[in-house]
Amino acid sequence: MVVTLSNEYGSGALAVAQRVAADLGYEYVDEQLPVVVGKRLRVRRETGETKEDAKRSLGERFLTVLERATPELAAATGDSFDEERLRAVQDAVREYASHGNAVIVGRGASAILGERADVVRVFIHAPRKWRIARLAETTGARPEAAEAELDRIDRARAAHLRDWYGLTFGDPQNYDLFIDASRFDSAGCAAIVVAAVRSRTP
């Protein structure tokens, strides 16, 4: 089984995805995807991974050459995301999915894999004010800076899904499971996903 985990920025989805992978014994696929994409595109890695990491400024986290090879960050930084990059991302997602037992975070994986019987498509969301407050707290950024970054990333993700897949970002019809992260902690969200995976009949 494969879990794709899409999310509104600032909803704490990475912690949920990591717990789901640990609880199921699945491979957690996040940083690996840009590496695979980078190799496919012959992009040299110059700096560290993208994370909601308080040790780096908000801008620094989204300005690496490697990460601009992934959809939302290409759009968010004004870089070009073309068909070559799209195919590289799609190939990387399908490669990990072919192994099975994986939790794949973002990168349009839910759209790439579609309604396959062996895929559980999860979307993590939360009220905007809650996400802004959480992002400001976890990064140490001012609320207005967190708000601007949140809106920029969400707009970019929405544009990517719309432009390349004809889908609406956050539309419940495109997912199997829709979870409000403000109503549960990361362990609770993960437990819901794990229960759904274990009850899924291929």
Side-chain angles (χ1 to χ4, degrees), residues 7-21:
N7 65 97
E8 291 180 328
Y9 186 64
S11 60
L14 294 183
V16 175
Q18 289 165 354
R19 282 180 175 269
V20 170

Side-chain angles (χ1 to χ4, degrees), residues 115-150:
E115 298 182 26
R116 285 174 32 167
D118 62 340
V119 175
V120 175
R121 301 165 302 163
V122 180
F123 189 86
I124 304 291
H125 66 102
R128 187 168 179 274
K129 287 184 178 180
W130 185 91
R131 292 187 290 129
I132 292 169
R134 180 188 174 280
L135 193 57
E137 180 181 356
T138 57
T139 64
R142 297 191 309 275
E144 55 268 30
E147 180 178 16
E149 195 66 20
L150 181 148

Side-chain angles (χ1 to χ4, degrees), residues 96-112:
Y96 277 103
S98 70
H99 304 156
N101 293 349
V103 177
I104 304 176
V105 179
R107 274 79 184 194
S110 63
I112 294 167

